[in-house]
Amino acid sequence: MPLLEGEGREVDVAIIGSGPAGLTAAIYTARADLKPVVLEGEPSSTSDQPGGQLMLTTDVENFPGFPEGVMGPELMQRFRDQAERFGAEIHTVKASRVDLSQQPYGIWVGNASANEPALRAKALIVSTGAQSIMLDLDREINMVGHGLSTCATCDGFFFRDQHIAVVGGGDSAMEEATFLTRFASKVTIIHRRDSLRASKIMQQRAFSNERIRFMWNSVVEAYLGDSALSGLRIRNVNTNEISVLDVTGCFIAIGHRPNTGLFAGQLPMKESGYLLTKANSAATELAGVFACGDVQDDFYRQAITAAGTGCMAAIEAERYLESLH
Ligand code: NAP
């Protein structure tokens, strides 16, 4: 069934976002015969695209059930196929506006100032994910999965005995660098200033690790290598001196941005923009609105935990809808 601007079609469950969280919620709500309508997003040149962050990942070796590993896009296609098999209606479109001031909740696509929304949903599951903040350099998106990564837990294993760079000076960078020393022969932290933002304890852990060294006052200017990363061009911000760092891996750890702009002023958020959910639940403060996956998780950020909270959101949405009858 097409999703038409301004149609105001009433549905039981709408799901915004199609990463592991949203599609798991779709599988569960579809199997509960709730006929979920999924707005999966639209392809774009940035990291914001249907399927979420796994679409930018090559090998995934830590998702249970795939002992040989699986490519990120293939894994997401399998999630999608499974949701469609049970009747989830998936639309390749972005929500342009939501109105959570009254039930059923309005969801617009296309023209956000149209009078009527495209959908009115009794229950809404928000799974719009988060994005790693990147350096915005040439060929950056193409390099992800080919030496460039944003997740040491996911990809550190691939860099055994190699020299790796980590960019950033906060807790994430220290944590990623320290974790990566389990695999790497050497880790170089590249930071744009001469002092760290990270907490003292995380700094100390990095300073005392003999496999970690620091490049201060330095920024990455280019990714080197054709099909895979072979080095970084670095500029010293004080002297403008250019150097090349020979690394085969580079982890960007300069923060994450949750995709919550659509819900500003309508759903409670942390100061950092992540949606707030109740303890041990996917429920938000608003009855019938649930949040799952990275949009509400600034700690684990894993596909498997996103899928887990997607399942929670679906079961809670199902019980909420039952309670309305
Ligand atoms: P963060 O604290 O915002 O630090 C980001 C770092 O990246 C800063 O050092 C910043 O440099 C640098 N940076 C930002 N944009 C940059 C750019 N375009 N180019 C180069 N460098 C750039 O982010 P985070 O480390 O991800 O931490 C986020 C929050 O999670 C923090 O509250 C942190 O404490 C928490 N966290 C805690 C733990 C833990 O306790 N185990 C682990 C991870 C994260 P400047 O310093 O110059 O601004």
Side-chain angles (χ1 to χ4, degrees):
M1 201 180 295
L3 187 58
L4 301 175
E5 272 185 46
E7 188 186 27
R9 172 154 59 108
E10 192 159 319
V11 298
D12 280 335
V13 182
I15 299 172
I16 306 181
S18 60
L23 290 178
T24 300
I27 292 166
Y28 273 76
T29 50
R31 289 192 79 250
D33 211 19
L34 294 174
K35 302 185 172 42
V37 177
V38 182
L39 279 67
E40 70 170 350
E42 280 169 291
S44 74
S45 56
T46 66
S47 51
D48 167 26
Q49 57 176 297
Q53 297 175 75
L54 280 189
M55 296 301 285
L56 298 170
T57 309
T58 50
D59 298 282
V60 179
E61 291 191 328
N62 55 6
F63 200 86
F66 294 88
E68 313 301 332
V70 59
M71 300 298 274
E74 187 197 334
L75 180 59
M76 291 324 300
Q77 186 60 47
R78 285 170 173 252
F79 270 77
R80 199 176 185 282
D81 292 347
Q82 196 171 350
E84 284 194 314
R85 180 181 156 210
F86 296 111
E89 187 186 310
I90 302 180
H91 297 278
T92 309
V93 69
K94 268 188 175 176
S96 52
R97 175 184 154 203
V98 295
D99 177 6
L100 307 183
S101 64
Q102 54 180 339
Q103 293 175 304
Y105 299 118
I107 301 156
W108 278 253
V109 298
N111 179 8
S113 35
N115 283 336
E116 269 296 301
L119 289 176
R120 289 189 186 281
K122 292 183 198 154
L124 172 64
I125 295 178
V126 178
S127 49
T128 45
Q131 295 175 37
S132 299
I133 301 173
M134 302 297 283
L135 297 178
D136 282 335
L137 297 176
D138 272 357
R139 304 189 305 135
E140 189 158 55
I141 293 301
N142 299 340
M143 277 291 179
V144 173
H146 301 279
L148 188 63
S149 173
T150 54
C151 174
T153 308
C154 318
D155 298 332
F157 190 78
F158 300 122
F159 295 92
R160 198 171 282 283
D161 298 326
Q162 297 177 39
H163 181 192
I164 305 178
V166 173
V167 181
D171 280 335
S172 293
M174 299 310 112
E175 191 170 66
E176 302 271 276
T178 306
F179 177 78
L180 286 168
T181 58
R182 296 182 193 190
F183 312 101
S185 54
K186 186 160 73 167
V187 175
T188 300
I189 296 177
I190 302 166
H191 184 39
R192 62 184 177 183
R193 293 187 294 127
D194 63 359
S195 64
L196 297 171
R197 177 181 297 277
S199 54
K200 283 282 175 278
I201 184 163
M202 303 287 276
Q203 293 193 24
Q204 276 320 319
R205 220 168 272 165
F207 286 141
S208 61
N209 189 317
E210 59 187 23
R211 289 196 188 184
I212 295 179
R213 72 173 193 117
F214 287 82
M215 264 183 111
W216 301 108
N217 302 309
S218 298
V219 292
V220 178
E221 286 215 323
Y223 300 114
L224 307 178
D226 294 329
S227 52
L229 189 76
S230 62
L232 300 171
R233 193 167 79 222
I234 312 274
R235 181 171 58 87
N236 182 300
V237 292
N238 291 342
T239 62
N240 275 333
E241 188 191 331
I242 301 288
S243 59
V244 169
L245 186 69
D246 289 324
V247 288
T248 44
C250 177
F251 287 73
I252 307 296
I254 60 173
H256 291 84
R257 190 182 299 123
N259 300 320
T260 49
L262 205 54
F263 310 99
Q266 302 199 67
L267 282 178
M269 297 176 190
K270 291 185 184 176
E271 211 172 294
S272 52
Y274 285 85
L275 294 186
L276 283 167
T277 50
K278 296 180 182 169
N280 303 318
S281 163
T284 68
E285 283 290 305
L286 276 191
V289 180
F290 305 89
C292 51
D294 284 13
V295 74
Q296 52 83 56
D297 172 18
D298 58 4
F299 186 76
Y300 297 106
R301 297 188 174 118
Q302 299 299 302
I304 188 71
T305 46
T309 55
C311 166
M312 289 166 65
I315 290 175
E316 291 180 50
E318 192 186 337
R319 297 208 174 137
Y320 168 76
L321 289 168
E322 268 169 20
S323 76
L324 295 182
H325 297 309

